[in-house]
Amino acid sequence: MQQIVLLACLAAVAVAAPQQFVNDFDQPEIRRPIAILRDERTDNGDGNFNYLFEAENGIFMNAVGTPGSKGQSNIQGSYRFPLPDGTIAEVRYFADENGYVAESPLIPTPHPLPAHAIEQIRIAEEQRAQGITFQ
């Protein structure tokens, strides 16, 4: 019986000890609870809803949804979170019958076309307008 009590006490101490983990930058940190500042949710049951969440560590998310014309939900919202350098990343998005579109300076974009490529496209459009075709 004493062994079981001793084992239970050791397990309780192990669970209560501060937990350490290694993040992406190999810096040990101590986990602690993060306070939820706001958590507001409204669902009207007809496809209309609102959602807003904010935590003390800078994480924020909101979304507004309405019924779509083709049975889908149309959703518009944003989320943001802190980056390791202390800046805040933000993404704005919307989704409807045409799909999902996200906008953020963090999302990679294709390189601009070089001037000669733009000129070739312009020439091809002129030729197409003149009825010129190539086989």
Side-chain angles (χ1 to χ4, degrees):
M1 182 67 167
Q2 292 174 347
Q3 293 171 342
I4 293 175
V5 171
L6 179 60
L7 185 59
C9 289
L10 289 174
V13 168
V15 170
Q19 301 295 310
Q20 290 194 348
F21 69 100
V22 177
N23 63 21
D24 291 339
F25 304 101
D26 295 328
Q27 300 295 321
E29 296 180 11
I30 296 179
R31 289 186 183 188
R32 65 176 184 82
I34 303 298
I36 305 302
L37 303 177
R38 292 192 298 181
D39 188 358
E40 302 169 8
R41 303 163 194 235
T42 305
D43 185 348
N44 297 336
D46 59 357
N48 292 292
F49 67 89
N50 293 305
Y51 174 77
L52 186 133
F53 174 86
E54 184 176 11
E56 73 173 328
N57 62 353
I59 295 174
F60 175 87
M61 180 178 168
N62 75 327
V64 176
T66 57
S69 61
K70 297 184 180 179
Q72 82 287 349
S73 290
N74 292 340
I75 303 172
Q76 186 171 359
S78 66
Y79 56 91
R80 63 180 182 250
F81 53 92
L83 295 172
D85 66 1
T87 60
I88 300 294
E90 182 169 9
V91 177
R92 296 185 178 281
Y93 65 91
F94 64 91
D96 59 17
E97 65 274 4
N98 298 315
Y100 175 85
V101 176
E103 300 169 346
S104 172
L106 298 172
I107 297 174
T109 57
H111 293 287
L113 291 174
H116 71 276
I118 294 171
E119 178 63 14
Q120 290 296 316
I121 293 169
R122 186 192 63 73
I123 291 169
E125 288 172 351
E126 282 180 5
Q127 291 174 338
R128 192 173 302 118
Q130 295 170 2
I132 299 172
T133 58
F134 297 94
Q135 303 267 338

